[in-house]
Amino acid sequence: ALIVEGAATLERALGAEHPANARGQRVLAHAARLRGEVPMAIDHARRALALAESAVGRDHISLAPYLESLANGLSQAGRGEEAIAVLDRGVALAPPRPLHDVALARLHARRGEVYSFFDPTRALAAHEQAYALARSALGEQHRLTVRSMVAMGSLLGELGRDAEASETLGVALLIGKTVLGAEHPDVATMHNALAIQYERVGDLERALEHHLAMLQVLPRLHGPDAYPLAGGHGNVCTMMFRLERAVEAVPHCR
């Protein structure tokens, strides 16, 4: 409600076509995505981009967040190819100077996320670009760098490169715990990625170890009865049954 009110006030004060309305439209797009109103999100994102373009043209680096917003909506709508085209346009922005490596890393990471739904090879290449850029600009221990490592590790596993996948994910978890702390949401995601990788290669004991580690973090992040815990308990339940530990599994299933 505050976002809607703020955007409307801005439009009344400046006029509907003033470029400064672009920011309000982009935030409206984000709010619509969070509510699951994807067509509305895309409309707001397109409006935001058009307003920003009216001030700076089609190739200015300040358009990067507006293109990313539109791509997010398109991806959420299942329109991956369109989202990639929008993100490719973002990567090519140049005036008045090339995009900073951090902005490029974000765009390539988003490309990787979109490609992961239909082309894991291209997804891996995009995340490798994101990782190289983030590592150069921010160092090995920055959150953006570590997130790229996790994405790379998961995709390496999907592509059958299991040894590389386990090593990459293991290093990411070690850095994540050191930099972010053992109870950070990103660390929970790393445990989940490692659990999936160990399941993929048939090491169920180690997969269970990481499912349990993730489940320990979730209540502290979300509370004892929050919906995300359902997935965590379900994973532990399934893994314990596969390991013929049914008595231990039942409480998690329940």
Side-chain angles (χ1 to χ4, degrees):
L2 286 170
I3 292 167
V4 170
E5 181 184 353
T9 302
L10 193 64
E11 190 168 302
R12 285 195 303 272
L14 300 174
E17 300 305 316
H18 195 286
N21 288 306
R23 183 177 182 186
Q25 290 294 315
R26 180 162 63 92
V27 179
L28 284 168
H30 179 64
R33 284 200 311 277
L34 292 178
R35 294 195 305 272
E37 297 171 353
V38 180
M40 182 180 293
I42 293 172
D43 288 345
H44 281 302
R46 289 195 189 281
R47 175 69 174 150
L49 179 61
L51 287 164
E53 286 175 335
S54 72
V56 298
R58 286 183 51 83
D59 301 312
H60 197 278
I61 60 174
S62 63
L63 297 180
Y66 299 99
L67 291 166
E68 186 176 358
S69 176
L70 177 56
N72 288 341
L74 292 168
S75 175
Q76 196 169 340
R79 295 158 62 178
E81 296 284 1
E82 292 176 74
I84 289 294
V86 171
L87 291 166
D88 286 347
R89 182 183 160 194
V91 169
L93 296 174
R97 58 188 175 276
L99 275 173
H100 190 275
D101 282 353
V102 174
L104 279 173
R106 281 177 53 87
L107 289 169
H108 281 299
R110 194 70 192 93
R111 289 174 68 247
E113 290 168 12
V114 177
Y115 270 130
S116 67
F117 291 107
F118 57 92
D119 192 333
T121 301
R122 287 189 175 184
L124 177 59
H127 281 299
E128 286 174 338
Q129 287 179 288
Y131 172 73
L133 289 162
R135 183 181 182 188
S136 173
L138 301 168
E140 276 194 346
Q141 297 188 338
H142 192 275
R143 186 182 184 189
L144 181 58
T145 312
V146 178
R147 280 184 164 183
S148 297
M149 288 184 71
V150 175
M152 287 164 50
S154 297
L155 287 160
L156 286 165
E158 282 188 41
L159 293 168
R161 296 161 62 178
D162 293 318
E164 295 171 83
S166 297
E167 181 180 357
T168 302
L169 291 169
V171 172
L173 179 61
L174 182 62
I175 296 172
K177 282 183 173 180
T178 303
V179 176
L180 303 172
E183 296 183 5
H184 193 278
D186 285 3
V187 173
T189 301
M190 294 171 201
H191 280 300
N192 188 58
L194 271 164
I196 291 170
Q197 176 57 28
Y198 283 125
E199 282 186 56
R200 187 180 283 122
V201 299
D203 191 341
L204 302 188
E205 291 284 358
R206 297 192 75 178
L208 176 60
E209 174 189 327
H210 287 286
H211 280 312
L212 286 168
M214 181 179 178
L215 186 57
Q216 288 175 353
V217 176
L218 291 176
R220 292 191 281 272
L221 294 175
H222 303 290
D225 299 314
Y227 178 73
L229 273 71
H233 282 293
N235 290 335
V236 172
C237 163
T238 301
M239 202 54 47
M240 284 183 168
F241 266 110
R242 291 179 67 186
L243 288 165
E244 300 183 1
R245 293 164 58 178
V247 173
E248 296 172 79
V250 168
H252 292 286
C253 303
R254 284 177 175 163

